[in-house]
Amino acid sequence: MSKPAVICLDLGGSFIKLGVMDAQNALTILDQQNIPATSWTAFTTLVSHMIAQHQAHFTADSPVAISTAGIVAPDTGEMFASNIPAFHQRRLANELSAILQRRVIVHNDADCFTLAEALTGAGQAHKVVFGAILGSGVGGGLVADGRIITGQNGLTGEWGHGPITLTEVELDGETLRLPRLSCPCGQKGCLDSYGGARGLENLHQTLHSSTASSIDIIKRWQQQDRQAQQTLQAWLQLVGQPLAYTINITGASRVVVGGGLASVVPLIEALDQAVQGYVLRSTRQRLVVPGAFAHHGGMMGAALLARQRHG
Ligand SMILES: [Zn+2]
């Protein structure tokens, strides 16, 4: 019997994407709508409508696989740390399953991305794969032997909300002290405050008292602009050391990078070089590479997770 098509949903802070994974595990995007982020009823009505509109792609036994920002509590199934207010403390999988009359799985998007990369992307053939999300913020996921490591509290891989390991960086031979910035998570000095695209902007501001977008900073770095070069020099130290530390702890032999910064190939190459300098034993093999699924890794991974659970 062939495997049923999987209904895939990517739920972001501003959009809902709908896709289908066929029996050969190929993903096709079918629809995208703005998400009614503050109303549970409007949200469930729209999802039901989107699935009904594309029902020709699915069968009665098609499960629903959801990738979303935020964490699913492993013990209760409740959502927390979600950027979609309508999901606050909802048991998303159970409640949607009752409404849609289908099996529903929900998982964190960084974990889903890492699973997709480990099974079919840039982490294939590696026993332990760490997914490092460098988007507007910093996230992560861990996959071992082709399975997501969820951990006791669902937070495995969240390396962005721990302290930067360095408070001093070397810039052109000079040592510079950096402040530990307050993080929206309530802690002080999280990597997230310097590590993602927003963090890069914070760092540039801290070092040069100058406001610039991450895209602009990276463009100027590639044009050898001195200030931007210093910012990236500091960024590679601040991100490279915790990433090396993460590799030491998890035993990952491959780090796949997702999020907007993953598309800057020279930056990820430079990050790999930085990390190689910090791990206890560097190898000739690339450790840090851009992910293969820049846009739909979350959906892909959620669908593969549904396959693992439901066939
Ligand atoms: Zn934090």
Side-chain angles (χ1 to χ4, degrees), residues 87-105:
F87 295 173
H88 183 62
Q89 291 189 329
R90 290 271 175 191
R91 295 169 71 210
L92 198 54
N94 281 14
E95 294 185 48
L96 269 182
S97 182
I99 292 166
L100 300 172
Q101 292 293 296
R102 293 178 182 276
R103 294 166 297 175
V104 177
I105 65 134

Side-chain angles (χ1 to χ4, degrees), residues 55-287:
Q55 60 184 335
H57 294 275
F58 315 125
T59 53
D61 60 346
S62 290
V64 177
I66 297 176
S67 161
T68 188
I71 312 285
V72 183
D75 49 350
T76 64
E78 279 180 23
M79 296 294 300
F80 65 97
S82 172
N83 58 353
I84 302 164
F87 295 173
H88 183 62
Q89 291 189 329
R90 290 271 175 191
R91 295 169 71 210
L92 198 54
N94 281 14
E95 294 185 48
L96 269 182
S97 182
I99 292 166
L100 300 172
Q101 292 293 296
R102 293 178 182 276
R103 294 166 297 175
V104 177
I105 65 134
V106 179
H107 211 90
N108 169 263
D109 52 4
D111 288 359
C112 290
F113 163 80
T114 310
L115 184 67
E117 294 292 343
L119 295 179
T120 61
Q124 278 185 83
H126 289 268
K127 188 175 166 66
V128 181
V129 176
F130 186 74
I133 308 299
L134 298 172
S136 59
V138 177
L142 182 65
V143 167
D145 292 326
R147 301 273 163 181
I148 293 172
I149 308 296
T150 304
Q152 191 189 15
N153 51 16
L155 294 168
T156 304
E158 292 298 334
W159 68 307
H161 294 282
I164 48 169
T165 50
L166 290 169
T167 51
E168 288 178 343
V169 288
E170 299 292 326
L171 289 186
D172 299 332
E174 280 184 46
T175 304
L176 205 96
R177 203 164 178 80
L178 286 171
R180 288 184 180 271
L181 304 180
S182 295
C183 182
C185 79
Q187 304 190 90
K188 215 171 173 190
C190 286
L191 174 64
D192 193 75
S193 55
Y194 285 130
R198 202 180 45 230
L200 191 63
E201 292 164 4
N202 289 340
L203 188 56
H204 195 73
Q205 175 73 42
T206 303
L207 292 174
H208 307 297
S209 304
S210 145
T211 307
S213 72
S214 59
I215 292 171
D216 194 33
I217 296 166
I218 288 168
K219 201 166 86 187
R220 282 158 53 189
W221 170 62
Q222 290 176 305
Q223 293 165 346
Q224 323 275 320
D225 171 90
R226 186 173 149 78
Q227 282 196 347
Q229 280 191 314
Q230 286 188 332
T231 301
L232 267 299
Q233 216 180 323
W235 185 87
L236 289 166
Q237 294 169 53
L238 290 168
V239 177
Q241 198 177 55
L243 193 50
Y245 197 31
T246 302
I247 289 169
N248 288 350
I249 291 168
T250 59
S253 55
R254 175 57 52 93
V255 174
V256 287
V257 183
L261 295 183
S263 63
V264 189
V265 172
L267 182 67
I268 305 307
E269 281 171 4
L271 182 57
D272 181 60
Q273 288 293 312
V275 169
Q276 298 275 5
Y278 289 123
V279 288
L280 284 175
R281 178 172 168 261
S282 67
T283 64
R284 276 163 210 250
Q285 281 189 349
R286 277 288 290 265
L287 279 168

